[in-house]
CSV table of all heavy atoms in Angstrom, one decimal:
chain,number,residue,atom,x,y,z
A,1,GLU,N,0.8,-1.2,0.0
A,1,GLU,CA,0.0,0.0,0.0
A,1,GLU,C,0.9,1.2,0.0
A,1,GLU,O,2.1,1.2,0.1
A,1,GLU,CB,-0.9,0.0,1.2
A,1,GLU,CG,-0.1,0.1,2.5
A,1,GLU,CD,-1.0,0.2,3.8
A,1,GLU,OE1,-2.2,0.6,3.6
A,1,GLU,OE2,-0.6,-0.2,4.9
A,2,GLY,N,0.3,2.4,-0.2
A,2,GLY,CA,1.0,3.6,0.0
A,2,GLY,C,1.4,4.2,-1.3
A,2,GLY,O,1.1,3.8,-2.4
A,3,LEU,N,2.2,5.3,-1.2
A,3,LEU,CA,2.7,6.0,-2.4
A,3,LEU,C,4.2,6.0,-2.6
A,3,LEU,O,4.8,6.9,-3.0
A,3,LEU,CB,2.2,7.5,-2.3
A,3,LEU,CG,0.7,7.7,-2.3
A,3,LEU,CD1,0.3,9.2,-2.2
A,3,LEU,CD2,0.1,7.1,-3.6
A,4,SER,N,4.8,4.9,-2.1
A,4,SER,CA,6.2,4.7,-2.4
A,4,SER,C,6.4,4.3,-3.9
A,4,SER,O,5.5,3.9,-4.6
A,4,SER,CB,6.8,3.5,-1.5
A,4,SER,OG,6.2,2.3,-1.9
A,5,ARG,N,7.6,4.5,-4.4
A,5,ARG,CA,7.9,4.0,-5.7
A,5,ARG,C,7.7,2.6,-5.9
A,5,ARG,O,7.1,2.1,-6.9
A,5,ARG,CB,9.4,4.3,-6.1
A,5,ARG,CG,9.9,3.7,-7.4
A,5,ARG,CD,11.3,4.1,-7.7
A,5,ARG,NE,11.3,5.5,-8.2
A,5,ARG,CZ,11.1,5.9,-9.4
A,5,ARG,NH1,10.9,5.0,-10.4
A,5,ARG,NH2,11.2,7.1,-9.8
A,6,ALA,N,8.0,1.8,-4.8
A,6,ALA,CA,7.8,0.3,-4.9
A,6,ALA,C,6.4,0.0,-5.1
A,6,ALA,O,6.0,-0.9,-6.0
A,6,ALA,CB,8.3,-0.3,-3.6
A,7,HIS,N,5.4,0.6,-4.4
A,7,HIS,CA,4.0,0.3,-4.5
A,7,HIS,C,3.4,0.9,-5.8
A,7,HIS,O,2.7,0.2,-6.5
A,7,HIS,CB,3.2,0.8,-3.4
A,7,HIS,CG,1.8,0.4,-3.4
A,7,HIS,ND1,1.3,-0.9,-3.4
A,7,HIS,CD2,0.7,1.2,-3.6
A,7,HIS,CE1,0.0,-0.9,-3.5
A,7,HIS,NE2,-0.4,0.3,-3.7
A,8,ILE,N,3.8,2.1,-6.1
A,8,ILE,CA,3.2,2.8,-7.3
A,8,ILE,C,3.5,2.0,-8.6
A,8,ILE,O,2.6,1.7,-9.4
A,8,ILE,CB,3.7,4.2,-7.4
A,8,ILE,CG1,3.0,5.1,-6.3
A,8,ILE,CG2,3.3,4.8,-8.8
A,8,ILE,CD1,3.5,6.5,-6.2
A,9,MET,N,4.8,1.6,-8.7
A,9,MET,CA,5.2,0.9,-9.9
A,9,MET,C,4.5,-0.5,-10.1
A,9,MET,O,4.1,-0.9,-11.2
A,9,MET,CB,6.7,0.7,-10.0
A,9,MET,CG,7.5,2.0,-10.1
A,9,MET,SD,7.0,2.9,-11.6
A,9,MET,CE,8.1,4.3,-11.5
A,10,THR,N,4.3,-1.2,-9.0
A,10,THR,CA,3.6,-2.4,-9.0
A,10,THR,C,2.1,-2.2,-9.3
A,10,THR,O,1.5,-2.9,-10.1
A,10,THR,CB,3.8,-3.2,-7.7
A,10,THR,OG1,5.2,-3.4,-7.5
A,10,THR,CG2,3.1,-4.5,-7.7
A,11,ALA,N,1.6,-1.2,-8.6
A,11,ALA,CA,0.1,-1.0,-8.7
A,11,ALA,C,-0.3,-0.6,-10.1
A,11,ALA,O,-1.4,-1.0,-10.6
A,11,ALA,CB,-0.3,0.1,-7.7
A,12,ILE,N,0.4,0.3,-10.8
A,12,ILE,CA,0.0,0.7,-12.1
A,12,ILE,C,0.0,-0.5,-13.1
A,12,ILE,O,-1.0,-0.6,-13.9
A,12,ILE,CB,0.9,1.9,-12.7
A,12,ILE,CG1,0.4,2.3,-14.0
A,12,ILE,CG2,2.3,1.4,-12.8
A,12,ILE,CD1,-1.0,2.9,-14.0
A,13,ASP,N,0.9,-1.3,-13.0
A,13,ASP,CA,0.9,-2.5,-13.9
A,13,ASP,C,-0.3,-3.4,-13.6
A,13,ASP,O,-0.9,-4.0,-14.5
A,13,ASP,CB,2.2,-3.3,-13.8
A,13,ASP,CG,3.4,-2.6,-14.4
A,13,ASP,OD1,3.1,-1.7,-15.2
A,13,ASP,OD2,4.5,-2.9,-14.1
A,14,ALA,N,-0.6,-3.6,-12.3
A,14,ALA,CA,-1.7,-4.4,-11.9
A,14,ALA,C,-3.1,-3.8,-12.4
A,14,ALA,O,-4.0,-4.5,-12.9
A,14,ALA,CB,-1.8,-4.7,-10.4
A,15,THR,N,-3.2,-2.5,-12.3
A,15,THR,CA,-4.4,-1.8,-12.7
A,15,THR,C,-4.5,-1.9,-14.2
A,15,THR,O,-5.7,-2.2,-14.7
A,15,THR,CB,-4.3,-0.3,-12.3
A,15,THR,OG1,-4.6,-0.1,-10.9
A,15,THR,CG2,-5.2,0.6,-13.1
A,16,LEU,N,-3.5,-1.8,-15.0
A,16,LEU,CA,-3.6,-1.9,-16.4
A,16,LEU,C,-4.0,-3.3,-16.8
A,16,LEU,O,-4.8,-3.5,-17.8
A,16,LEU,CB,-2.3,-1.5,-17.1
A,16,LEU,CG,-1.8,0.0,-16.9
A,16,LEU,CD1,-0.5,0.2,-17.6
A,16,LEU,CD2,-2.9,0.9,-17.4
A,17,ARG,N,-3.5,-4.3,-16.1
A,17,ARG,CA,-3.9,-5.7,-16.4
A,17,ARG,C,-5.4,-5.9,-16.1
A,17,ARG,O,-6.1,-6.5,-17.0
A,17,ARG,CB,-3.1,-6.7,-15.6
A,17,ARG,CG,-1.6,-6.9,-16.1
A,17,ARG,CD,-1.0,-8.1,-15.4
A,17,ARG,NE,-1.0,-8.0,-14.0
A,17,ARG,CZ,0.0,-7.5,-13.3
A,17,ARG,NH1,1.1,-7.0,-13.9
A,17,ARG,NH2,0.0,-7.5,-12.0
A,18,ARG,N,-5.8,-5.4,-15.0
A,18,ARG,CA,-7.3,-5.6,-14.7
A,18,ARG,C,-8.2,-4.8,-15.7
A,18,ARG,O,-9.2,-5.3,-16.0
A,18,ARG,CB,-7.5,-5.1,-13.3
A,18,ARG,CG,-7.0,-6.1,-12.2
A,18,ARG,CD,-7.5,-5.7,-10.8
A,18,ARG,NE,-6.9,-4.5,-10.4
A,18,ARG,CZ,-5.8,-4.4,-9.6
A,18,ARG,NH1,-5.1,-5.6,-9.2
A,18,ARG,NH2,-5.3,-3.3,-9.2
A,19,LEU,N,-7.8,-3.6,-16.1
A,19,LEU,CA,-8.6,-2.8,-17.0
A,19,LEU,C,-8.4,-3.3,-18.4
A,19,LEU,O,-9.3,-3.0,-19.3
A,19,LEU,CB,-8.1,-1.4,-16.9
A,19,LEU,CG,-8.6,-0.6,-15.7
A,19,LEU,CD1,-7.8,0.8,-15.6
A,19,LEU,CD2,-10.1,-0.3,-15.7
A,20,GLY,N,-7.4,-4.1,-18.7
A,20,GLY,CA,-7.2,-4.6,-20.1
A,20,GLY,C,-6.8,-3.5,-21.1
A,20,GLY,O,-7.2,-3.5,-22.2
A,21,THR,N,-6.0,-2.5,-20.6
A,21,THR,CA,-5.6,-1.4,-21.4
A,21,THR,C,-4.1,-1.1,-21.3
A,21,THR,O,-3.5,-1.6,-20.3
A,21,THR,CB,-6.4,-0.1,-21.1
A,21,THR,OG1,-6.1,0.9,-22.0
A,21,THR,CG2,-6.2,0.3,-19.7
A,22,ASP,N,-3.5,-0.4,-22.2
A,22,ASP,CA,-2.1,-0.1,-22.1
A,22,ASP,C,-1.8,1.2,-21.3
A,22,ASP,O,-0.7,1.4,-20.9
A,22,ASP,CB,-1.5,0.2,-23.6
A,22,ASP,CG,-1.6,-1.1,-24.4
A,22,ASP,OD1,-1.5,-2.2,-23.9
A,22,ASP,OD2,-1.7,-1.0,-25.7
A,23,TYR,N,-2.9,2.0,-21.1
A,23,TYR,CA,-2.7,3.2,-20.3
A,23,TYR,C,-4.0,3.6,-19.7
A,23,TYR,O,-5.1,3.2,-20.1
A,23,TYR,CB,-2.2,4.3,-21.2
A,23,TYR,CG,-3.2,4.7,-22.3
A,23,TYR,CD1,-4.1,5.8,-22.0
A,23,TYR,CD2,-3.4,4.0,-23.5
A,23,TYR,CE1,-5.0,6.2,-23.0
A,23,TYR,CE2,-4.3,4.4,-24.4
A,23,TYR,CZ,-5.2,5.5,-24.1
A,23,TYR,OH,-6.1,5.9,-25.0
A,24,VAL,N,-3.9,4.4,-18.6
A,24,VAL,CA,-5.0,5.1,-18.1
A,24,VAL,C,-4.9,6.6,-18.5
A,24,VAL,O,-3.8,7.1,-18.6
A,24,VAL,CB,-5.2,5.0,-16.5
A,24,VAL,CG1,-5.6,3.6,-16.2
A,24,VAL,CG2,-3.9,5.4,-15.8
A,25,ASP,N,-6.0,7.2,-18.6
A,25,ASP,CA,-5.9,8.7,-19.0
A,25,ASP,C,-5.6,9.5,-17.8
A,25,ASP,O,-4.9,10.5,-17.9
A,25,ASP,CB,-7.3,9.1,-19.6
A,25,ASP,CG,-7.6,8.3,-20.8
A,25,ASP,OD1,-7.2,8.7,-21.9
A,25,ASP,OD2,-8.3,7.3,-20.7
A,26,LEU,N,-6.1,9.1,-16.6
A,26,LEU,CA,-5.8,9.9,-15.4
A,26,LEU,C,-5.5,8.9,-14.3
A,26,LEU,O,-6.3,8.1,-13.9
A,26,LEU,CB,-7.1,10.7,-15.1
A,26,LEU,CG,-7.0,11.6,-13.9
A,26,LEU,CD1,-6.0,12.7,-14.0
A,26,LEU,CD2,-8.4,12.3,-13.6
A,27,TYR,N,-4.3,9.1,-13.7
A,27,TYR,CA,-3.9,8.2,-12.6
A,27,TYR,C,-3.8,9.1,-11.4
A,27,TYR,O,-3.0,10.0,-11.3
A,27,TYR,CB,-2.6,7.6,-12.9
A,27,TYR,CG,-2.2,6.3,-12.1
A,27,TYR,CD1,-3.2,5.3,-11.9
A,27,TYR,CD2,-1.0,6.2,-11.5
A,27,TYR,CE1,-2.9,4.2,-11.1
A,27,TYR,CE2,-0.7,5.0,-10.8
A,27,TYR,CZ,-1.6,4.1,-10.6
A,27,TYR,OH,-1.4,2.9,-9.8
A,28,GLN,N,-4.6,8.8,-10.3
A,28,GLN,CA,-4.7,9.6,-9.2
A,28,GLN,C,-4.2,9.0,-7.9
A,28,GLN,O,-4.4,7.8,-7.7
A,28,GLN,CB,-6.2,10.0,-9.0
A,28,GLN,CG,-6.9,10.6,-10.2
A,28,GLN,CD,-8.4,10.3,-10.2
A,28,GLN,OE1,-9.1,11.2,-9.9
A,28,GLN,NE2,-8.8,9.1,-10.6
A,29,ILE,N,-3.6,9.8,-7.1
A,29,ILE,CA,-3.2,9.3,-5.8
A,29,ILE,C,-4.4,9.3,-4.9
A,29,ILE,O,-5.1,10.3,-4.8
A,29,ILE,CB,-2.0,10.0,-5.2
A,29,ILE,CG1,-2.3,11.5,-5.0
A,29,ILE,CG2,-0.7,9.8,-6.0
A,29,ILE,CD1,-1.2,12.3,-4.2
């Protein structure tokens, strides 16, 4: 959890996999 580099980098890849897209238009903390 949280806003460390370690979590953010893992979280964005997991989000993209779940959404089935290469990018999100807006990524929010």
Side-chain angles (χ1 to χ4, degrees):
E1 65 179 335
L3 297 178
S4 67
R5 169 175 287 272
H7 182 66
I8 288 173
M9 292 302 183
T10 300
I12 184 62
D13 288 341
T15 281
L16 296 180
R17 283 196 300 271
R18 286 188 292 265
L19 286 168
T21 183
D22 295 329
Y23 67 95
V24 290
D25 299 274
L26 182 64
Y27 198 47
Q28 304 155 102
I29 57 170

